Amino acid sequence: MFIIRSEKHEDIHKLKEVNDLAFGRDNESKLIEAIRQSETFIPELSLVAENEAGEIIGHVLLSKIIIETQDQSIPSLALAPMAVKPEYQNQKIGSQLVKEALNRSKSLGFESVVVLGHKEFYPRFGFIPASKKSIRPPFDVPDEVFMVLELKENALQGIQGTVKYPDAFQKV
């Protein structure tokens, strides 16, 4: 049993541990810290999963990005990273974190989310290859792992552009 809630200041060290253990490196925790220090950070979209013992066992972060078109900048969100401690993986914790983060994103008025992630995991939530919506990554990645989700129906209708990640993503 676990609950999902917004991160608290006292969780920061534990979030580093969760991400470092889940990914086996510190790149993601460095990304989180860089985002947290930037204007792209949305405190309500940094969510933790906490078990009955009060242990932080999972984390998901969504932050502001833009999709650059020929003549405008479209606000969007990046889902990155999402982590669950290894001993708690495959128990639907990550799925519940993603669902809750997407629900909160929609309630905050965001219209789309981009993710670079597992091609088997994210389509469960409605993510599709971004290329199907004429959205391109700013770097070379396989088409099936760079995905987008419209939180508002037809939010990306007629949009053709490239995702522009903020500086926080470049620092890692």
Side-chain angles (χ1 to χ4, degrees):
M1 192 71 182
F2 62 94
I3 62 161
I4 295 176
R5 61 169 174 78
S6 295
E7 77 168 47
K8 299 175 186 172
H9 182 72
E10 57 266 24
D11 298 329
I12 291 174
H13 180 72
K14 295 172 187 170
L15 297 182
K16 177 179 175 16
E17 178 186 347
V18 168
N19 280 274
D20 291 355
L21 287 170
F23 290 100
R25 60 183 188 219
D26 67 357
N27 295 23
E28 286 73 14
S29 58
K30 287 179 179 177
L31 173 62
I32 293 165
E33 190 54 37
I35 291 170
R36 193 179 283 116
Q37 301 302 320
S38 77
E39 69 282 349
T40 64
F41 181 63
I42 307 164
E44 300 91 342
L45 296 180
S46 182
L47 305 179
V48 301
E50 181 179 64
N51 69 14
E52 292 168 330
E55 177 186 10
I56 305 294
I57 57 175
H59 176 244
V60 66
L61 177 65
L62 282 86
S63 58
K64 296 176 190 175
I65 59 166
I66 58 171
I67 300 169
E68 289 279 344
T69 70
Q70 197 166 16
D71 55 3
Q72 61 181 326
S73 296
I74 310 297
S76 188
L77 294 171
L79 190 162
M82 192 281 293
V84 175
K85 279 187 169 181
E87 64 269 29
Y88 292 96
Q89 291 176 2
N90 300 310
Q91 297 178 33
K92 306 264 187 246
I93 296 164
S95 293
Q96 292 302 314
L97 280 165
V98 171
K99 285 178 189 175
E100 182 64 21
L102 295 174
N103 286 337
R104 290 186 186 200
S105 298
K106 188 173 184 175
S107 71
L108 289 172
F110 290 98
E111 297 183 358
S112 65
V113 179
V114 172
V115 68
L116 175 62
H118 295 285
K119 63 182 180 179
E120 296 84 25
F121 181 73
Y122 289 100
R124 299 178 201 173
F125 310 100
F127 283 91
I128 61 171
S131 62
K132 291 186 176 186
K133 291 290 183 179
S134 300
I135 306 300
R136 297 177 303 279
F139 38 72
D140 288 333
V141 293
D143 190 56
E144 66 273 8
V145 300
F146 189 73
M147 296 170 267
V148 69
L149 171 69
E150 292 177 310
L151 297 173
K152 178 182 174 189
E153 190 174 349
N154 298 319
L156 299 172
Q157 185 79 25
I159 303 295
Q160 293 183 352
T162 302
V163 169
K164 183 176 180 195
Y165 288 98
D167 290 342
F169 282 80
Q170 315 322 317
K171 294 178 182 178
V172 181

